[in-house]
Amino acid sequence: MSEIVIAAARDIGMITLRGEISALAKAVGMTAPAQRMSVKSEDCRLNWMSPDELLLICPHEEVAQRVTDFARALEGEFATVADVSDARAVFDVTGGGAEIALAHLMPVDFASLAPEEVRRTRMAQIPAALWREGGGWRVVCFRSVALYAEALLKDAAETSRA
């Protein structure tokens, strides 16, 4: 088993869009993801977060312009667009046993998750979301609990190695 690595991912752009899913996806210019799934383009990922919410993951430097463009495209719709990049903390969890470490913290059946599935759950006592990214997992939580979340992840990784 290789070492489990917990790395804070920086400069990740995140835009929350709320409203009617097909209208939101059209504004973004991507196919609407199915429930609990994501779709990817060359440089973005569009995650289904709830029946009226999508989360666009994109290059950080593009967020301001995209928010403006989406707000314009959704004019007249009952919808909201918000840059949440700085309100979230993002961690990449990689290495052999990453799923075991995460399973110590989350009530998730990792073996049954589809490759493009997004899971909203709890990580210990904090809300979190996760999905496969590269060869591991990307975990997102509120920035206000980032230090706690990082400590949880590192402790779970250490416990999994023992």
Side-chain angles (χ1 to χ4, degrees):
M1 185 175 344
S2 65
E3 180 180 0
I4 300 169
V5 177
I6 310 299
R10 307 262 186 246
D11 297 323
I12 306 293
M14 288 182 266
I15 302 169
T16 293
L17 300 107
R18 300 217 53 167
E20 199 277 312
I21 295 289
S22 63
L24 300 176
K26 182 179 177 186
V28 171
M30 294 175 72
T31 304
Q35 183 176 350
R36 290 180 48 177
M37 301 303 275
S38 66
V39 294
K40 291 168 53 175
S41 69
E42 188 173 308
D43 62 347
C44 295
R45 174 187 292 269
L46 188 60
N47 293 344
W48 183 96
M49 301 303 283
S50 74
D52 70 344
E53 179 182 4
L54 297 176
L55 178 66
L56 180 72
I57 312 297
C58 65
H60 192 268
E61 63 274 7
E62 296 176 9
V63 169
Q65 186 61 55
R66 286 179 181 265
V67 166
T68 299
D69 293 346
F70 299 158
R72 188 173 298 125
L74 291 163
E75 198 169 306
E77 295 281 338
F78 185 72
T80 59
V81 179
D83 174 2
V84 296
S85 306
D86 294 332
R88 305 290 185 263
V90 182
F91 299 95
D92 289 327
V93 182
T94 58
E99 292 175 3
I100 295 168
L102 290 170
H104 284 290
L105 301 171
M106 303 174 179
V108 174
D109 179 3
F110 287 90
S112 71
L113 292 181
E116 297 301 321
E117 191 165 348
V118 177
R119 181 68 189 267
R120 291 181 82 166
T121 187
R122 298 198 74 72
M123 182 168 65
Q125 297 302 311
I126 60 175
L130 80 150
W131 58 88
R132 286 180 175 85
E133 187 73 33
W137 295 90
R138 179 152 283 173
V139 178
V140 176
C141 65
F142 293 114
R143 185 164 306 283
S144 61
V145 294
L147 293 176
Y148 176 62
E150 185 173 25
L152 286 172
L153 290 165
K154 288 181 176 180
D155 185 59
E158 187 61 35
T159 300
S160 296
R161 281 192 276 270

